[in-house]
Structure formats: C-alpha cells, structure tokens
Amino acid sequence: MSDKKENPGQDSVNVSRRHFIGTTAVAGLAVGVAACNDKSAAPAASAGSSAHAGADVGKYEVAPGQLDEYYSFSSGGHSGEMRIYGLPSGRLFKRIPVFNMDCLVGWGITNESKKIIGTKADGSLKYHTGDTHHVHPSYKDGTYDGRYIFVNDKIHGRLARIRMDTMETDKITELPLVQGFHGVFPDKRDPVDQAINYTTRVFCGAEFSIPLDNNGKNMNDTKDYRSIFSCVDAETMAVRWQVLIDGNCDLVATSYDGKLACTNQYNTENGAHYEDMMTVEQDACLFFNVARIEEAVKAGKFKTYGGSKVPVVDGTKASNADPKTALTCYVPIPKNPHGVNASPDGKYYACSGKLSPTASLIEHALVLKWFDGELKNPRDAVVAEPEIGLGPLHTGFDGRGNAYTTLFLDSQIVKWNVEAAIKSYKGDKSAKPVVDRIDVQYQPGHGFTSMGETKDADGKYFLSDNKFSKDRFLPVGPLHPETAQLIDISGDKMKLVADHAVYSEPHDSIIIPRSLVRTRQVYDINDFPNAVKDAKDCRVERKGKKVTVYLTSQAPTFGLREWTVKRGDEVTIILTNLDKVEDLTHGFAIPKYDIQFIVNPQETKSVTFIADKPGVYWCYCTNFCHALHLEMRSRMLVEA
Ligand code: K7E
Ligand code: CUA
Ligand code: CA
C-alpha cells in the first residue's frame, strides 16, 4: 500500500482553499449570498504553509522552560467547558469544567460543585450537558480587571461565572423564558454613574424564539414566539431585568461608556424554518438603552411571564417608535448578520452580513443621537459598509484603525481599514477599505485579536478559530480536530505563524497578556467552612442513618486507614488536603460507587452517597503525588 492510501491527509497539505469552496460548508448558504464585486480587493495571499520561512523560524516558538506571552481563554462548545491555552505556543494548560461533569476535578460529583451546577429534588444533577460559546472577562476602566470570566450555555440558557484567581466556576444562573442563550457580554461602565468604571451587569441574548408561557398550550402560532434579552447582576448573578423584542438575538456587544448594549439579529422575520429566516434583505443590529430600561423597571413599566418574577420591559418596535422615550433602537443591517464587535476606541460597532458580503460599521455617537431624537433614521447610524468577501462573521481590531473579519465561505481573514471604509462609503472612490487578505484552513468562525475587546488592543496577534481542519493534521478518524491558526498582525501584511489543533469546538476566545492574570497557586484552608484542619480530627460521626467521615490527605496517607459503615447509610465524606506544597494534589476514588475527585493543597471537598453495596472498597489516591502514591489508600468497609 502506498503512503497516499494509508494517509490521505499527507499529500494535500498545500491544496488551495478553492478546493473546498462549493463543498459542504457552502451548500445551503450559497443561495442567499450576494456576489462580492469589490474589484479593489487585494489579491488572495498564497497558501500559508510556507509563509514564514527563514528569519522567522523560532520567533514564535516557546522554548522548553519558557513561558508564553499570552493566555487564551476559549469556549469548548459541546464539551460544556472553558479552556486555557498559552500563546503563541498553543499549549493547552487547563480545562475548566463548567456545565459538564469532570472526573478529574470531580465537577458534578462533589457536593460543592453539584450545588453550583444545580440539582433536582432528589439531589441528582438537573442537567449533565452544556454548550459554551462565548467567554468574556469582567472589566475595569475599559480593560480586563482579572476578577471574573463569564461564559454562556446555549442549550439550557445558563450563564456561568469563573473566578479568575482560582480559575473555577463559582456561580451558575439559569435565565427564565430563554432558549438558545447565545451572545454574552459584560458592561464596561455604569450607564448612569460614570464613577462606577467596572463591570456590574452581564447582558445575554436569546437566539431562539419560544412561546412566552412555554407550557405546551400555545405551540402552533410561530409568529407569537418571542426572544428575550436579559441583564444579569455581575456580583449576585441574579437576573435583574429582561427585554421583550421583535426578532431574535445572536451575539452581544457593549459600549465603552456603559450606555448601550447591542445584539445582531439574523431572524427579524421570526421564521421557524431556515428559508423563512432569510426572506428579507435587511435584518438588524438591535441597541438597548440601559439607563432607560432601568428607569422603566423602577417606574413599574414591566410585565412578568410564565411564573418568572423577573421584570420584562417591552422593547418591541411598535412600542418604541418615539426615539425620545425608546428603550431600543433597531438599526437595519444586510442580510442575516452574525457577530457584532465594539472597536477599542469606543466609536464603532462592526456587524457582519453573513449572507451579504459586507460588514456594517455603526457609529456609537449616532445611535445615541437617535435616542436623543436628533437622527431621523436608525439606518443613518451606519457610517460604512465595505464589501469584504463571502460569509463575513466576526471582527477583531488591532487598535491601529484596522478591522479583521473572518470570511467563512471564502476561508479567509480580511483586513480592512476603518477610516478608508468610512471615506469610501461617503463616495470617495480613491479610498480602498480592504488592505490585506490571508487564506486560513478552513472556514473560520470566530477570529479575535490580542486584547481586541479592550481599549488596550495591542495589534500583535489574531487567532482564527476554524470550523474545519480537513487535511491540516495527522488523520485521526472521522472526527477531525479544529484548527486555531495564529496570525501575526503586527506588520502591514498578515502572517500565518502557527497551526494549533484544538478539540471540538471552540466558538470564541479572548487573548490576554500574562501580566493581567494573577492566580492563587495554593488554596487557603480557612476558605472552606467544613475543612478538617488536623489529621487528629479524622473520625466517623453517626446520626441515625447519616454518617459523616472526616478525612485528611497528606502524602502518602489518608487520615483514616479504614472506616466502617452499614448498608443503607447515607455517607458524607469530607476530605481536606493538608499538604501545603504547591502542585501537591491528591485524588480520591471509591470503586463501584462512582466517586472520583481531587483535592488541591489546602482544599476541602465532600461527597455524599448511599452505601448500598456491602463489602470492602479500597479508596485510593488517583493523582500521582509521592513515591508511595500507589500505597496511598484506605478501606471503606460496608457491613451487610
Ligand atoms: Cu460559533 Cu460566536 Cu456561537 Cu459565531 S458563534 S462562529
Ligand atoms: Cu496522594 Cu497520590
Ligand atoms: Ca434574516
């Protein structure tokens, strides 16, 4: 057998992206895509694989023992987790379980994590699955403050918060009246009190429309289905208020002055089938006037639905026709836009057409003007609409006046200049918005720049999270990895510098310099109210059928060598890791009882289960900790 047959990927690495146009990714979309006839567009770059030979070799490598310059925090899609990578190396450091179960950490297994995820009356998890798409940290003064990262769950409509000091999920909130919670973005300032210059709210867009009382009694009339925009308190994680809108939400962005939040809308038709969702030429980018909404809530101008107590204000078009009192502003955007991103100077939002070859640039000040009654037509807030290529989705900024948009259908990243685009829109024929293009492999979804979602965009890197990797990596069976391609954007020309294989499926990420991330390396034992602070405190306590086992770990022993319970007891094991040495983690597993978790230095965790199987069970350490790691075990004796 030739190499070719055994390993079909190997020979086609240099195949041009054109090879893939007209295949699966395009089918079904092409019908709605207008032709791109921008003759001014720069020619496509050559395939990336040989783009950085010679002088650059080693420039983007992180040598053994060296640390990466950036963190990348990435969603994990259907894994329900969030991931931490290093850049430029692309090394995966950590998977943070959020909505999923995880048997390293014991997420969904320990009592503490179950409480955060949410349980049913019988103590079992309410949901076992999640679908994370967008990760955004909390802000202070227009940049990341290192407190929290917020991430959505599209399946069950939940918002999670991850503490950046421990990199663990600490709260999860389920949004009422919502299905398909997609876009999420924290505010960057208070809309009223500008002295509050940090994140206090998190905005959440619902992509799917549903009957508002989703009780099975009103399912047929799809035109009565509704989508809701939600505001969650960043500290308490309680839902503050919601807005009833026309059409749907998708991605979310917020202004740097805190005054506006917005979402792109691809289904202003409120269609139930995909053909119905692409019947109009213009959908919208929908803006929310945060201060006015909160005034309306205060004034009692809201309703509640479906048993939820959260106030819902009316943000529909008909009820907000007068700009001077309007809570919402619908800015028309060509066809089925996907993605909206605020520029680092706080002046613009880029909203891409997806089924139109354009990106629309909306001026923040003009939207505010509309709310003041000084701009007649919301569409006049659009100050540029360059033709950039086919299937534009998400845009990143470099802080030097350039935007970088992913082109899903063209399999390219296009770099366009904001000022040139504005001039060209005004009719200046000499202005050429598109300044560079580069092929990516293949079909990019999100793309994002280093610090590009902050006022400190540094213009160093663009990462393209591609939806297809095809032939880019060694074949691993029908499920392919995805490609995250690192592009150096510091010069005039974009330069592809690395292909990183990533497990399916990152939707969105952010890139933060390492100086902005300060984590704790060891827990504080006093942060755990149930900590067993001394090995001498290890014991078994019984109250009727409820048994509590107080346990410690200290390499290479657990605080009890054995303990006995009776069949049918409800057993709670509380385990504190007394080791103080950084990185000295122990594990704890009970065979046949489906229990497994780790305790990091000075950390306490607990599990509760019914001892329903009599016999001897070796509880053992699952995390290699010591030369006598294998010897680190205790016996649980369950009497018949
Ligand atoms: Cu994949 Cu941000 Cu959920 Cu676009 S979304 S690609
Ligand atoms: Cu403790 Cu291995
Ligand atoms: Ca549409």
Side-chain angles (χ1 to χ4, degrees), residues 30-59:
V31 270
V33 176
C36 175
N37 50 20
D38 181 6
K39 299 284 189 304
S40 71
S46 60
S49 55
S50 60
H52 70 100
D56 282 345
V57 170
K59 188 173 162 193

Side-chain angles (χ1 to χ4, degrees), residues 566-579:
K566 293 193 177 73
R567 181 183 193 164
D569 284 344
E570 183 195 286
V571 180
T572 297
I573 294 174
I574 302 171
L575 174 59
T576 299
N577 182 359
L578 292 181
D579 276 309

Side-chain angles (χ1 to χ4, degrees), residues 460-538:
K460 272 199 169 165
Y461 288 116
F462 180 95
L463 194 69
S464 179
D465 273 349
N466 305 332
K467 299 299 188 192
F468 297 77
S469 67
K470 304 270 184 188
D471 53 6
R472 278 316 252 199
F473 304 108
L474 289 176
V476 289
L479 172 64
H480 293 50
E482 316 292 359
T483 352
Q485 289 185 300
L486 190 66
I487 296 167
D488 183 337
I489 56 166
S490 59
D492 288 341
K493 286 276 192 197
M494 289 180 278
K495 197 161 59 180
L496 178 63
V497 298
D499 277 14
H500 299 140
V502 282
Y503 185 59
S504 294
E505 179 185 284
H507 280 262
D508 193 12
S509 315
I510 43 145
I511 304 174
I512 307 185
R514 65 186 191 204
S515 58
L516 290 187
V517 179
R518 273 173 231 100
T519 68
R520 294 160 60 168
Q521 295 300 87
V522 176
Y523 288 95
D524 182 342
I525 199 166
N526 297 311
D527 286 349
F528 302 91
N530 56 347
V532 186
K533 291 189 179 169
D534 194 312
K536 289 198 290 279
D537 296 336
C538 288

Side-chain angles (χ1 to χ4, degrees), residues 133-134 154 182 251 338 393-394 444-446 467 505 507-508:
H133 282 230
H134 302 109
K154 181 167 167 176
H182 196 203
L251 278 294
H338 182 70
L393 297 183
H394 298 281
H446 272 273
K467 299 299 188 192
E505 179 185 284
H507 280 262
D508 193 12

Side-chain angles (χ1 to χ4, degrees), residues 356-418:
S356 160
T358 53
S360 304
L361 199 68
I362 304 163
E363 189 173 331
H364 176 65
L366 292 177
V367 181
L368 291 180
K369 236 178 160 182
W370 183 85
F371 277 114
D372 288 342
E374 287 164 27
L375 186 77
K376 235 180 157 198
N377 187 343
R379 175 66 195 173
D380 292 341
V382 174
V383 293
E385 206 151 72
E387 286 199 1
I388 52 175
L390 298 186
L393 297 183
H394 298 281
T395 299
F397 295 89
D398 62 6
R400 296 188 302 267
N402 300 303
Y404 302 76
T405 303
T406 54
L407 299 175
F408 181 78
L409 298 181
D410 272 343
S411 273
Q412 286 186 334
I413 308 305
V414 57
K415 173 181 176 181
W416 51 283
N417 183 271
V418 169

Side-chain angles (χ1 to χ4, degrees), residues 626-640:
H626 188 273
L628 294 174
H629 157 72
L630 291 173
E631 288 81 350
M632 185 166 175
R633 28 179 164 137
S634 294
R635 271 183 312 158
M636 177 171 77
L637 310 173
V638 182
E639 293 177 344

Side-chain angles (χ1 to χ4, degrees), residues 324-358:
K324 291 205 160 168
T325 56
L327 309 179
T328 53
C329 171
Y330 293 74
V331 177
I333 299 292
K335 189 146 188 176
N336 286 40
H338 182 70
V340 57
N341 298 87
S343 65
D345 57 11
K347 286 186 184 167
Y348 306 106
Y349 307 89
C351 188
S352 294
K354 190 166 75 182
L355 297 188
S356 160
T358 53

